[in-house]
């Protein structure tokens, strides 16, 4: 506790303690894109799987060409042609070579590749004689050795890894066709507030366009969730009760419900009124995002009651909901790494609360990045427009009261 407020760590620990990883399923690689690997992926084939050529040229016996030079070229008889995909393994006797293309298997009797560039004729006449003008630097030159990168039976990726483009390619290269991945968390997003109107619809005085729903849906997707329902309800209670009932029963059951609004200290706080006994309502030492609600319903559904201000909702998602969605999928890295960047300007921070300031990274000097607030005017949690400019959160410790230019600040980039 600090000043009657819970620490961010305590709140997050409560959340993560409630997470039970979701079931797994097996899938083809293409279906695994964006999913979390739940069992280590073991190489079936090696990378590379066989000795192969790194260059277009000639497979040779090193001893034949060890003394070759422009002044004393060595002529080899070309006895075979080895395009990519060939299964041939021609036997080379002394004085013989095989034309070979990049990626083709190196004949068992050869040990070195001479690239076309080091021969007199290059590709021309390459099926009769190879006149070698330079000795290879060493035996084995331009041969990619079998299993250089991965051996059959090696772990290519550990459980808990997110399968992105490079990971999928590595699995395919190791001849892995199916993977065990996590089910995606089923998420319901409920925005609360009698003032909310769908964007584009007519409004009367006091009404505002509903924006948190889209925000939380898109953030959930980025974190691997599947949003099965997004809805906004008024503060009366009946609609909210109905949505919670639907999200906790039957075929529309959710793993996670994310609400926004209705958790702070005012009147008409619908989440507090309806789920006051089921969730823990906390005041967390952070800015924005002080009022937080979290709990697990009897159905097992995790419920996050986020504050309604758009910046508060976005920050709360980043700090509490995203780690939970990743943990549900068995992800090993729940936190984004922070960069340490100097502040480009001065700004104030609230004493006793950790600040998560929407920020931009000044990359004018590629060798000297710095961080500044996304809005020059300050950090209002209602500034939904400024939020769109942010690419990071500057995270400033509880005990700091003012950031001075040049102070080193933790910066969490929000991409991905
Ligand atoms: P609340 O947490 O319900 O007191 O809401 C705090 C502020 O956030 C109020 O100004 C609300 O109008 C605004 N707000 C709440 N929910 C949304 C939403 N879904 N979209 C945009 N603004 C919202
Ligand atoms: Mg409200």
């Amino acid at each position: 506790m600090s000043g009657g407020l819970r620490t961010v760590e305590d709140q997050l620990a409560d959340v993560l303690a409630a997470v039970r990883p979701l079931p797994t399923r097996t899938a083809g690689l293409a279906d695994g894109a964006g999913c979390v690997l739940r069992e280590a992926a073991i190489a079936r084939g090696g990378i590379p799987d066989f000795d192969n050529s790194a260059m277009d040229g000639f497979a040779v016996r090193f001893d034949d060409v060890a003394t070759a030079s422009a002044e004393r070229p060595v002529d080899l008889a070309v006895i075979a042609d080895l395009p990519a995909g060939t299964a041939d393994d021609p036997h080379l006797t002394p004085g013989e070579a095989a034309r070979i293309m990049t990626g083709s298997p190196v004949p068992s009797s050869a040990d070195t590749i001479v690239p076309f560039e080091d021969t007199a004729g290059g590709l021309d006449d390459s099926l009769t004689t190879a006149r070698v003008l330079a000795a290879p630097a060493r035996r084995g030159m331009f041969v990619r050795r079998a299993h250089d990168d991965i051996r059959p039976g090696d772990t290519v990726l550990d459980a808990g890894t997110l399968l992105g483009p490079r990971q999928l390619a590595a699995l395919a290269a190791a001849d892995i066709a199916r993977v065990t991945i996590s089910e995606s968390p089923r998420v319901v997003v409920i925005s609360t507030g009698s003032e909310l109107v769908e964007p584009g619809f007519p409004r009367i005085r006091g009404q505002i366009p509903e924006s948190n729903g889209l925000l939380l849906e898109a953030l959930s997707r980025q974190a691997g969730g599947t949003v099965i329902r997004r809805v906004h309800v008024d503060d009366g209670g009946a609609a909210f009760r109905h949505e919670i009932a639907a999200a906790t029963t039957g075929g529309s059951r959710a793993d996670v419900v994310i609400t926004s609004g209705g958790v702070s200290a005012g009147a008409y706080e619908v989440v507090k009124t309806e789920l006051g006994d089921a969730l823990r309502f906390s005041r967390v030492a952070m800015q924005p995002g002080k009022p937080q609600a979290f709990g697990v319903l009897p159905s097992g559904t995790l419920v996050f009651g986020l504050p309604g201000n758009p910046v508060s909702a976005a920050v709360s998602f980043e700090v509490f909901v995203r780690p939970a969605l990743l943990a549900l999928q068995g992800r090993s890295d729940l936190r984004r790494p922070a960069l340490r960047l100097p502040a480009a300007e001065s700004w104030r921070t609230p004493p006793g609360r950790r600040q998560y300031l929407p920020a931009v990274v000044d990359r004018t000097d590629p060798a000297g990045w710095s961080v500044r607030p996304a809005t020059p005017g300050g950090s209002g949690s209602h500034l939904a427009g400024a939020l769109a400019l942010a690419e990071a959160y500057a995270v400033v410790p509880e005990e700091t009261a003012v950031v001075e230019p040049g102070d080193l600040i933790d910066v969490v980039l929000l991409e991905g």
Side-chain angles (χ1 to χ4, degrees):
M1 295 289 246
S2 73
L5 305 181
R6 299 194 83 202
T7 64
V8 172
E9 278 71 26
D10 283 352
Q11 181 73 9
L12 181 59
D14 270 11
V15 167
L16 294 179
V19 170
R20 305 281 170 271
L22 293 171
T24 63
R25 65 187 173 95
T26 63
L29 283 192
D31 288 337
C35 299
V36 178
L37 195 62
R38 288 287 288 277
E39 283 177 12
I42 308 299
R44 284 164 29 91
I47 306 178
D49 215 21
F50 47 84
D51 287 359
N52 69 90
S53 178
M55 299 291 273
D56 295 327
F58 300 94
V60 302
R61 301 154 59 99
F62 176 75
D63 293 337
D64 284 350
V65 293
T67 61
S69 66
E71 297 74 35
R72 301 179 62 118
V74 172
D75 285 352
L76 300 173
V78 178
I79 60 142
D81 186 25
L82 303 171
T86 184
D88 291 352
D89 187 5
H91 183 74
L92 306 186
T93 56
E96 290 181 340
R99 188 172 81 161
I100 191 166
M101 299 301 139
T102 304
S104 301
V106 175
S108 311
S109 50
D111 57 12
T112 301
I113 304 297
V114 171
F116 284 136
E117 295 88 309
D118 288 344
T119 62
L123 183 59
D124 304 334
D125 290 335
S126 53
L127 287 176
T128 51
T129 306
R131 172 160 291 190
V132 179
L133 301 177
R138 55 174 173 79
R139 192 184 304 277
M141 197 65 192
F142 297 125
V143 176
R144 301 163 169 166
R145 285 284 167 216
H147 309 170
D148 247 1
D149 186 8
I150 299 274
R151 300 170 174 281
D154 279 357
T155 297
V156 183
L157 296 172
D158 288 316
T161 307
L162 175 66
L163 297 180
R166 291 173 296 282
Q167 290 71 34
L168 292 170
L171 297 178
D175 197 27
I176 296 168
R178 294 189 72 75
V179 281
T180 301
I181 56 174
S182 181
E183 294 280 10
S184 166
R186 291 159 52 91
V187 178
V188 168
V189 175
I190 308 174
S191 304
T192 73
S194 297
E195 72 278 33
L196 303 177
V197 175
E198 278 301 299
F201 279 71
R203 284 182 280 127
I204 59 170
R205 178 180 161 82
Q207 294 183 321
I208 63 167
E210 203 278 284
S211 62
N212 287 347
L214 284 167
L215 170 81
L216 296 169
E217 174 172 3
L219 288 173
S220 297
R221 283 227 189 88
Q222 278 186 350
T226 301
V227 176
I228 57 173
R229 183 161 171 77
R230 170 171 59 84
V231 64
H232 69 89
V233 298
D234 64 24
D235 292 320
F240 183 80
R241 274 196 300 281
H242 172 82
E243 292 295 336
I244 292 293
T248 51
T249 48
S252 58
R253 210 188 71 79
D255 300 305
V256 175
V257 170
I258 310 170
T259 70
S260 70
V263 292
S264 40
Y268 315 110
E269 307 283 17
V270 66
V271 179
K272 213 171 214 174
T273 314
E274 297 301 327
L275 293 178
D277 297 332
L279 308 183
R280 174 171 182 173
F281 289 77
S282 306
R283 294 164 64 239
V284 179
M286 60 194 282
Q287 190 225 35
K290 185 167 71 169
Q292 294 289 335
F294 174 74
V296 187
L297 299 182
S299 59
T301 306
L302 307 182
V303 180
F304 292 87
L306 310 186
N309 273 310
V311 182
S312 313
V315 166
S316 303
F317 183 97
E318 172 67 22
V319 176
F320 302 117
V321 186
R322 180 178 182 275
L325 290 175
L326 301 190
L328 280 166
Q329 296 164 81
R331 264 280 280 274
S332 42
D333 50 341
L334 302 183
R335 286 164 178 264
R336 298 188 215 258
L339 298 173
R340 278 259 156 113
L341 296 180
E345 58 189 68
S346 174
W347 70 83
R348 301 197 62 75
T349 85
R353 290 160 72 186
R354 184 180 304 170
Q355 184 182 43
Y356 291 87
L357 182 70
V360 290
V361 175
D362 186 335
R363 296 172 168 82
T364 319
D365 174 4
W369 290 5
S370 60
V371 61
R372 66 173 77 246
T375 34
S379 64
S381 57
H382 60 295
L383 302 174
L387 185 60
L389 305 176
E391 56 179 323
Y393 293 125
V395 185
V396 185
E398 291 76 347
E399 53 277 11
T400 304
V402 58
V403 169
E404 302 289 1
D407 284 357
L408 285 178
I409 304 296
D410 280 353
V411 177
V412 177
L413 294 175
L414 298 176
E415 279 314 302

